[in-house]
Amino acid sequence: MNLPLYKSIFGLKCPRCRKGNLFTRKGIIVYNDMLEMHDECPNCSLHYDLENGFWLGSLWTSYPIVILIEVPFLFAALFAEGYMIWVYFALMLLSFLITWPLMLRLGRSIWIHLNVSYKS
Ligand SMILES: [Zn+2]
């Protein structure tokens, strides 16, 4: 049974076989060793670091996730008055700290899925 693309991305699976895990720890929000990855897929042996500096490109895919999470708080702060401005900024900072692993891990998963084709 083939794993759908979205499940492979959100499940942090290998883009080529969609079975092996990208990261050594499972789950999207993990605080310990959040960027510890396998050197290659445990299932199909795809080398994940495709070239030097490959993961720098994942900044392009994690940035939109940051925007989606943080911009609503920014706009709320812009249109708030009094102390509520600081409440929204605090919520923005808090949401960033909570979802930081999601942004990094999901950004890397999307990036490698954009660069490697699925082979059943
Ligand atoms: Zn694989």
Side-chain angles (χ1 to χ4, degrees):
M1 192 174 90
N2 296 337
L3 196 65
L5 176 63
Y6 76 93
K7 280 190 176 178
S8 180
I9 291 172
F10 285 97
L12 308 175
K13 297 293 183 185
C14 166
R16 189 163 72 185
C17 68
R18 295 184 183 171
K19 289 177 182 164
N21 291 321
L22 286 173
F23 295 93
T24 55
R25 290 176 165 255
K26 290 182 180 178
I28 285 186
I29 296 185
V30 172
Y31 293 97
N32 290 336
D33 305 324
M34 70 175 82
L35 291 180
E36 280 293 316
M37 299 182 74
H38 296 289
D39 289 333
E40 59 185 32
C41 175
N43 187 56
C44 71
S45 301
L46 169 70
H47 191 72
Y48 289 146
D49 197 3
L50 300 180
E51 60 187 24
N52 282 340
F54 175 72
W55 296 115
L56 284 175
S58 68
L59 292 172
W60 289 103
T61 50
S62 60
Y63 185 67
I65 301 169
V66 174
I67 297 297
L68 279 174
I69 294 171
E70 302 303 325
V71 162
F73 293 110
L74 184 65
F75 273 100
L78 285 174
F79 296 108
E81 292 180 6
Y83 73 91
M84 284 306 290
I85 294 171
W86 299 106
V87 170
Y88 285 122
F89 272 118
L91 287 173
M92 190 168 78
L93 184 64
L94 184 67
S95 69
F96 181 82
L97 292 174
I98 291 170
T99 59
W100 183 29
L102 177 144
M103 298 167 191
L104 295 176
R105 290 164 72 91
L106 199 56
R108 281 192 174 196
S109 182
I110 293 168
W111 182 244
I112 197 167
H113 278 80
L114 286 173
N115 285 283
V116 178
S117 302
Y118 172 63
K119 286 181 184 158
S120 55

